[in-house]
Amino acid sequence: MSIIRNVYDAVYNNLIGDGAYLKIIKGCIFTLLVFVLALLVAALLAAALSFLRTSGYKGLRAAGTGITFLCKGTPVYLALLLWYYTFLGGMHRGGLIIAVLVLGIYGGGHLTDILSRAVKREAGIRSAAVNRRARREFFSALLPFVTEQSLFEIKRLLCILLQMSSLVGLVGVNDLAQVLLKNGLRTQYPFFALFCAVIFYLLLQLLLEALFAWAGKTLTGEEEE
C-alpha cells in the first residue's frame, strides 16, 4: 500500500496539486504551437526553394541550392543564440518567434532536399512535354504529387523536429519540460517530472506516426509498414 500511496502522491503533487495541471497545459499548448508554426514556415519555405532548385534556369537553381545549404547547414542552437541575442537583444518575449523561425528554416532546408529529389526523380521518367506541363502546374499538381510520394521521409523529418523542439530550452520551446522540472523540484520528485516530459513527447510522436499512417492509406490505398 505504501508504494501505491507514494505513486499517488507523486502524480497528485506533480500533475494536479497547486494548480500544476494548468501550467502543464499551458506548456503543452506552447510546445505544440511552436511545432505547428515551425512546420508551416518549413512548408512555405520548401515550396519556394524546391521551385528554384528544379528550375530550368541555372541561376535560379544555384540560388535555390545556396539558400538551402544555409538553411539546413547552420547549426540550430547557434542560430538560436544569434537570432535571440542579436535581433531581440535577449528579450524573452521574442522567444516564440525566434523558435518558430529557426526551427522552420532548418526544417524547410531539409524538406526542400526531399521534395527536390522527388521532383527530379519524376522528371527522369517522364517525357519533355509532360515535364513542361508539370512545370507550369508546379504548385497545384506536381508539388502535391511528390509530397504524397515522400511521406515516409517527411515523417522522419517531422519526428526529428519534434525531438529538437524538446531540447531548445533557451527560447522557451520546452516550456513543458521546464514546468514539470520546477514542479518536481518543489515536490522532491524531479525524476518523475522528467519522466512525464518524456511520456508527453513519446505520445506526440505516436500521434505523428498515426497521422502519417492514415495519410498514406488515404492517399495511396496502402498502409505504411
Side-chain angles (χ1 to χ4, degrees), residues 56 67 72 122 170 183:
I67 297 173
K72 71 176 185 178
E122 289 300 316
L170 180 63
N183 289 338

mmCIF file of all heavy atoms in Angstrom, residues 56 67 72 122 170 183:
data_model
loop_
_atom_site.group_PDB
_atom_site.id
_atom_site.type_symbol
_atom_site.label_atom_id
_atom_site.label_comp_id
_atom_site.label_asym_id
_atom_site.label_seq_id
_atom_site.Cartn_x
_atom_site.Cartn_y
_atom_site.Cartn_z
ATOM 1 N N GLY A 56 14.502 25.453 -64.676
ATOM 2 C CA GLY A 56 15.282 25.227 -65.886
ATOM 3 C C GLY A 56 16.389 26.241 -66.074
ATOM 4 O O GLY A 56 17.207 26.111 -66.993
ATOM 5 N N ILE A 67 20.753 28.862 -50.880
ATOM 6 C CA ILE A 67 19.871 29.180 -49.755
ATOM 7 C C ILE A 67 19.545 27.926 -48.957
ATOM 8 O O ILE A 67 19.512 27.942 -47.723
ATOM 9 C CB ILE A 67 18.582 29.859 -50.261
ATOM 10 C CG1 ILE A 67 18.915 31.195 -50.924
ATOM 11 C CG2 ILE A 67 17.606 30.074 -49.107
ATOM 12 C CD1 ILE A 67 17.739 31.846 -51.602
ATOM 13 N N LYS A 72 19.750 24.497 -43.981
ATOM 14 C CA LYS A 72 19.904 23.198 -43.322
ATOM 15 C C LYS A 72 21.280 23.003 -42.695
ATOM 16 O O LYS A 72 21.457 22.145 -41.828
ATOM 17 C CB LYS A 72 19.633 22.071 -44.318
ATOM 18 C CG LYS A 72 20.701 21.906 -45.379
ATOM 19 C CD LYS A 72 20.429 20.712 -46.281
ATOM 20 C CE LYS A 72 21.573 20.501 -47.262
ATOM 21 N NZ LYS A 72 21.362 19.316 -48.115
ATOM 22 N N GLU A 122 10.816 12.218 -60.718
ATOM 23 C CA GLU A 122 9.660 12.210 -61.613
ATOM 24 C C GLU A 122 10.036 12.728 -62.998
ATOM 25 O O GLU A 122 9.567 12.199 -64.017
ATOM 26 C CB GLU A 122 8.537 13.070 -61.027
ATOM 27 C CG GLU A 122 7.866 12.462 -59.827
ATOM 28 C CD GLU A 122 7.224 11.124 -60.134
ATOM 29 O OE1 GLU A 122 6.552 11.015 -61.192
ATOM 30 O OE2 GLU A 122 7.383 10.183 -59.343
ATOM 31 N N LEU A 170 16.457 27.289 -24.554
ATOM 32 C CA LEU A 170 16.967 28.654 -24.419
ATOM 33 C C LEU A 170 15.890 29.692 -24.713
ATOM 34 O O LEU A 170 15.795 30.731 -24.062
ATOM 35 C CB LEU A 170 18.148 28.861 -25.368
ATOM 36 C CG LEU A 170 18.796 30.252 -25.333
ATOM 37 C CD1 LEU A 170 19.395 30.520 -23.964
ATOM 38 C CD2 LEU A 170 19.846 30.368 -26.413
ATOM 39 N N ASN A 183 8.024 21.822 -10.936
ATOM 40 C CA ASN A 183 7.101 21.123 -10.048
ATOM 41 C C ASN A 183 7.806 19.978 -9.328
ATOM 42 O O ASN A 183 7.560 19.720 -8.147
ATOM 43 C CB ASN A 183 5.910 20.565 -10.833
ATOM 44 C CG ASN A 183 4.970 21.666 -11.300
ATOM 45 O OD1 ASN A 183 4.953 22.750 -10.735
ATOM 46 N ND2 ASN A 183 4.203 21.388 -12.329
#
